[in-house]
Amino acid sequence: MKKSDFKINVWDLLLSAGKQDKISFENVLIEEVPTLKEPWISWDVAIQSFDQNSLLVTLEDVTCTLHEPCDKCAQEYDRKLEIESYSAKFQNEISPEEEWDDEIFQIDGNENIDIKDMVIQAIKLQEPFTKKCPKCQTIKEENNEEDIEYFEWTGNITFS
């Protein structure tokens, strides 16, 4: 198995089911993640063949730091991101039913997989609903308040 940037040649793993390999990536810049801060992204990739047409690819120990504005006070802060694992399937052919599945990727005709989109997706899935800097997060915890107000039932709403 050989790697080049985000492309990994997996011809040897596709020879038979059950073969496994692992590769490490360190301090890799992905320009599609604009808030990424040095030392960029590091992770391990574990690849296991199911058969001659499909692989299970698992990103392990993904770490990076994102420099973002707080949604509450607009102050810039660094958010450290650690993803224990994220898995996806790679196949030679993707059926129309599976085409929109975010966790299935294509093995190209040269028996290469490109894990760049997988890494980006793993990072995006860790995006919090509301980004809060440590100061705003601490204020919420100290006041023990919720960000939303409770809906109180008054009984004067009717549905027909």
Side-chain angles (χ1 to χ4, degrees), residues 144-159:
N144 197 21
E145 294 178 5
E146 293 292 324
D147 286 342
I148 58 172
E149 295 192 21
Y150 290 99
F151 175 79
E152 190 173 311
W153 175 261
T154 60
N156 58 0
I157 299 175
T158 57
F159 298 96

Side-chain angles (χ1 to χ4, degrees), residues 14 51 61 102 105 125:
L14 292 171
D51 52 38
D61 302 319
D102 288 340
F105 297 91
L125 285 172

Side-chain angles (χ1 to χ4, degrees), residues 10 13-14 19 47-51 53-57 88-91 107 113:
V10 292
L13 293 174
L14 292 171
K19 287 192 170 193
I47 304 172
Q48 179 181 357
S49 63
F50 286 131
D51 52 38
N53 297 309
S54 61
L55 304 163
L56 175 66
V57 178
K89 187 176 181 181
F90 280 76
Q91 297 179 172
I107 300 172
I113 60 172

Side-chain angles (χ1 to χ4, degrees), residues 72-132:
K72 191 162 187 155
C73 70
Q75 184 80 343
E76 297 278 326
Y77 74 104
D78 291 340
R79 180 169 61 96
K80 186 160 177 65
L81 189 65
E82 295 178 0
I83 305 168
E84 189 174 317
S85 73
Y86 176 75
S87 297
K89 187 176 181 181
F90 280 76
Q91 297 179 172
N92 280 326
E93 294 182 24
I94 298 176
S95 67
E97 298 87 39
E98 299 170 322
E99 187 174 346
W100 299 107
D101 191 338
D102 288 340
E103 296 176 356
I104 298 181
F105 297 91
Q106 183 87 37
I107 300 172
D108 73 17
N110 295 324
E111 297 179 327
N112 292 314
I113 60 172
D114 187 345
I115 61 169
K116 185 177 189 177
D117 288 340
M118 186 180 174
V119 175
I120 292 170
Q121 185 171 319
I123 291 170
K124 285 185 177 182
L125 285 172
Q126 298 299 312
E127 187 82 14
F129 185 70
T130 305
K131 298 175 203 164
K132 290 188 179 177

